[in-house]
């Protein structure tokens, strides 16, 4: 087997773990009092002062806007996103030890690549996750930048970028207005970046499942070639004094290696199932909350887009926010769908492993595995939604339906207002 010591599968989510560490959503090992002090400071500043502060202000504003459709929509779309973020942060904080155990298991022996092609597959998935993380972080930062600019481009501006309750009236042009403005933008950046990191962490573990199923398919379809590679590398010892060069004895030794390789594939499959089960146990309800809230957020953001001028800065800020919300659920649904597709290939890959010249014992074990692998691996959100592209489409359809209802309700209110004005 090719040396793979430089390939660390934890790199799939390393950048996301580092970000969550920095903002205090994950805690380090408290080896010294200085480490503990710095962690408490980060947690208090980023999570306590910025994130929880803006969430509390948004909830108070949402309560105060009851009865006003436009004001409730303005207050809801970011508030709901932050509320589901709290569910993710709670799951990460509470189960951090299990998350790190899951992370360490990505480098277990069964998950290591067996040939150059599998090594390339894993490197591809690591690069893919890094690209996704950068795209999501970039989308978050650009959204916040447009939110910061848009109040200064409107005729009624400048105004505070986030609909939140403030215990005093920050008048335009005063130092209080500037402080609250800067606070809201910084709090939004902190909340957005940490939320994106939590989503990428979950997606990264999904990618691990997808990658392992892909290399398992490769191992199954190339089981004979992998066995021959071991023979050439000296794992099948040739002894010229014991007639081991005879074809029959060589065939028997090759069959023994193929039997071992098939057992390795069975163990690999079981490890993937255990990994997926632990992943579902950790984040199932976080994903469910994201899906439910995404329906409302996508709907309300679409409604907001129809209320602003086309091609304005506010318009682009809402488009970018919609992009972030869609990316959050799309990456989960896409890689969940890839897990289903790769799992569905296992039986076919096992069948195409050139089993016909093999021993009866190998064929029986292969048949047992093929029977077991016909049960397709699917990941669920709270036991209700399958992580698949079909679920993603259903979320979009539901959001569009609620958006149409909002448009009709708003139009009816406008008609009634015009009638009352005319009277």
């Amino acid at each position: 087997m090719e040396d793979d010591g430089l390939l660390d599968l934890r790199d799939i989510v390393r950048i996301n773990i580092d970000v969550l560490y920095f903002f205090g959503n994950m805690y380090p090992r408290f080896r010294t009092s200085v480490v503990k002090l710095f962690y408490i400071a980060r947690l208090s500043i980023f999570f306590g002062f910025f994130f929880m502060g803006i969430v509390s202000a948004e909830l108070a504003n949402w309560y105060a806007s009851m009865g006003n459709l436009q004001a409730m929509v303005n207050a809801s779309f970011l508030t709901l996103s932050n509320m589901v973020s709290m569910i993710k942060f709670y799951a990460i904080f509470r189960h951090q030890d299990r998350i790190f155990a899951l992370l360490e298991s990505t480098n277990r022996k069964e998950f290591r690549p067996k040939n150059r092609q599998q090594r390339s597959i894993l490197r591809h998935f690591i690069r893919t996750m890094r690209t996704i993380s950068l795209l999501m972080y970039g989308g978050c930062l650009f959204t916040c930048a447009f939110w910061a600019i848009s109040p200064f481009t409107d005729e009624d501006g400048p105004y505070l970028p986030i609909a939140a309750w403030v215990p005093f009236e920050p008048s335009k042009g005063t130092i209080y207005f500037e402080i609250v403005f800067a606070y809201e933008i910084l709090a939004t950046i902190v909340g957005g970046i940490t939320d994106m990191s939590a989503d990428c962490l979950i997606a990264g573990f999904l990618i691990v499942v997808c990658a392992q199923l892909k290399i398992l398919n490769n191992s199954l379809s190339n089981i004979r070639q992998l066995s021959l590679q071991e023979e050439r590398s000296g794992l099948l010892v040739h002894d010229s004094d014991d007639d081991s060069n005879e074809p029959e004895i060589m065939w028997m030794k090759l069959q023994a290696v193929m039997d071992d390789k098939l057992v390795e594939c069975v163990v690999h499959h079981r490890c993937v199932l255990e990994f997926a089960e632990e992943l579902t146990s950790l984040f199932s309800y976080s994903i469910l909350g994201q899906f439910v809230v995404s329906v409302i957020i996508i709907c309300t953001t679409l409604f907001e887009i129809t209320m602003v001028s086309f091609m304005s800065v506010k318009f682009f800020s809402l488009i970018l926010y919609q992009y972030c919300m869609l990316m959050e659920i799309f990456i989960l649904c896409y890689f969940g769908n890839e897990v289903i597709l790769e799992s569905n290939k296992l039986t076919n890959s096992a069948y195409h492993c050139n089993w016909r010249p093999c021993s009866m014992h190998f064929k029986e074990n292969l048949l047992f595995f093929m029977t077991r692998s016909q049960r397709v691996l699917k990941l669920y959100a709270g036991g209700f939604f399958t992580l698949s592209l079909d679920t993603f489409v259903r979320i979009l359809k539901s959001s569009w339906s609620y958006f149409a209802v909002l448009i009709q309700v708003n139009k009816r209110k406008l008609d009634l207002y015009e009638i009352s004005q005319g009277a």
Side-chain angles (χ1 to χ4, degrees):
M1 188 197 332
E2 183 183 350
D3 179 30
D4 60 328
L6 298 177
L7 186 63
D8 190 348
L9 302 184
R10 294 173 299 181
D11 288 340
I12 288 180
V13 294
R14 190 179 299 278
I15 186 175
N16 315 120
I17 294 285
D18 290 342
V19 171
L20 290 170
Y21 259 133
F22 178 78
F23 286 106
N25 300 95
M26 302 188 83
Y27 53 88
R29 293 181 180 177
F30 301 124
R31 294 191 177 97
T32 65
S33 57
V34 175
V35 173
K36 187 174 184 179
L37 182 63
F38 273 111
Y39 169 72
I40 293 174
R42 294 200 310 273
L43 183 67
S44 302
I45 294 171
F46 294 121
F47 186 77
F49 178 68
F50 283 110
F51 182 74
M52 290 305 298
I54 195 67
V55 169
S56 301
E58 287 171 349
L59 286 173
N61 180 71
W62 183 78
Y63 179 79
S65 62
M66 287 286 190
N68 186 328
L69 180 61
Q70 180 66 44
M72 286 186 66
V73 170
N74 288 334
S76 295
F77 75 101
L78 189 57
T79 306
L80 291 172
S81 179
N82 286 333
M83 293 300 292
V84 78
S85 295
M86 293 179 66
I87 299 175
K88 299 175 199 172
F89 298 155
Y90 173 76
I92 291 172
F93 191 87
R94 181 184 177 186
H95 303 299
Q96 179 168 315
D97 291 339
R98 291 172 61 188
I99 290 172
F100 273 103
L102 194 67
L103 181 63
E104 291 299 321
S105 71
T106 58
N107 276 332
R108 66 199 303 172
K109 182 184 70 174
E110 292 82 6
F111 286 1
R112 306 305 299 178
K114 313 298 188 301
N115 55 34
R116 183 173 298 177
Q117 187 177 3
Q118 293 181 12
R119 186 183 179 86
S120 177
I121 289 170
L122 293 177
R123 280 178 168 170
H124 166 74
F125 278 109
I126 291 173
R127 289 194 300 268
T128 298
M129 192 61 234
R130 286 175 177 170
T131 302
I132 289 172
S133 297
L134 292 176
L135 286 173
M136 294 190 71
Y137 290 146
C140 175
L141 292 174
F142 275 110
T143 301
C144 293
F146 273 88
W147 277 345
I149 296 170
S150 102
F152 296 93
T153 61
D154 287 354
E155 294 180 359
D156 299 330
Y159 49 82
L160 294 177
I162 307 300
W165 178 81
V166 182
F168 55 89
E169 184 62 34
S171 303
K172 300 176 184 179
T174 64
I175 186 65
Y176 301 107
F177 177 85
E178 295 172 359
I179 291 173
V180 175
F181 191 99
Y183 171 81
E184 288 193 350
I185 292 298
L186 287 174
T188 305
I189 291 174
V190 170
I193 291 295
T194 50
D195 183 53
M196 295 292 107
S197 297
D199 288 319
C200 288
L201 178 65
I202 301 171
F205 284 132
L206 271 173
I207 285 179
V208 170
V209 178
C210 182
Q212 290 305 319
L213 287 172
K214 199 172 187 70
I215 67 173
L216 178 57
N217 274 302
N218 181 271
S219 295
L220 285 167
S221 58
N222 295 293
I223 196 168
R224 190 176 186 85
Q225 290 85 337
L226 292 172
S227 300
L228 289 172
Q229 284 177 13
E230 288 200 4
E231 181 183 10
R232 295 192 191 100
S233 64
L235 294 180
L236 283 178
V237 180
H238 296 277
D239 187 357
S240 58
D241 295 331
D242 63 358
D243 297 327
S244 61
N245 289 323
E246 293 182 6
E248 183 178 351
I249 297 178
M250 289 299 301
W251 180 84
M252 291 175 62
K253 288 187 174 183
L254 179 61
Q255 293 309 302
V257 176
M258 290 185 68
D259 286 339
D260 291 341
K261 287 294 179 186
L262 181 57
V263 171
E264 287 180 10
C265 290
V266 173
V267 173
H268 188 183
H269 185 234
R270 186 182 64 197
C271 291
V272 173
L273 295 178
E274 291 173 354
F275 189 98
E277 183 179 357
E278 178 69 355
L279 172 61
T280 302
S281 175
L282 287 171
F283 299 112
S284 177
Y285 291 103
S286 300
I287 299 173
L288 175 63
Q290 183 66 62
F291 282 0
V292 172
V293 169
S294 291
V295 173
I296 303 172
I297 293 175
I298 294 170
C299 163
T300 53
T301 306
L302 285 172
F303 181 76
E304 276 284 291
I305 290 173
T306 62
M307 298 291 109
V308 299
S309 301
F310 181 66
M311 299 299 285
S312 64
V313 176
K314 181 71 172 177
F315 173 83
F316 283 111
S317 70
L318 290 170
I319 291 294
L320 283 168
Y321 181 70
Q322 190 75 291
Y323 158 80
C324 292
M325 292 300 101
L326 290 173
M327 278 291 289
E328 279 188 301
I329 58 173
F330 177 74
I331 58 173
L332 299 175
C333 292
Y334 177 80
F335 288 110
N337 195 75
E338 287 296 299
V339 167
I340 296 173
L341 294 178
E342 292 298 330
S343 177
N344 202 34
K345 292 177 183 177
L346 289 174
T347 305
N348 192 54
S349 296
Y351 180 77
H352 287 88
C353 71
N354 194 13
W355 52 267
R356 282 169 292 184
C358 296
S359 65
M360 185 58 66
H361 180 259
F362 178 88
K363 293 176 182 177
E364 289 174 351
N365 288 338
L366 185 67
L367 182 61
F368 174 80
F369 176 81
M370 291 172 65
T371 303
R372 175 65 182 86
S373 63
Q374 287 179 5
R375 183 179 178 182
V376 178
L377 174 60
K378 295 181 180 180
L379 302 176
Y380 293 91
F384 297 100
F385 300 101
T386 306
L387 299 189
S388 65
L389 291 177
D390 180 62
T391 299
F392 179 73
V393 173
R394 286 164 57 193
I395 290 174
L396 294 184
K397 287 181 178 179
S398 299
S399 299
W400 185 262
S401 300
Y402 293 131
F403 166 68
V405 172
L406 271 180
I407 290 292
Q408 290 298 322
V409 170
N410 189 59
K411 183 177 180 298
R412 195 169 301 168
K413 283 194 172 185
L414 289 175
D415 291 342
L416 290 174
Y417 176 78
E418 289 176 359
I419 292 172
S420 63
Q421 289 295 103

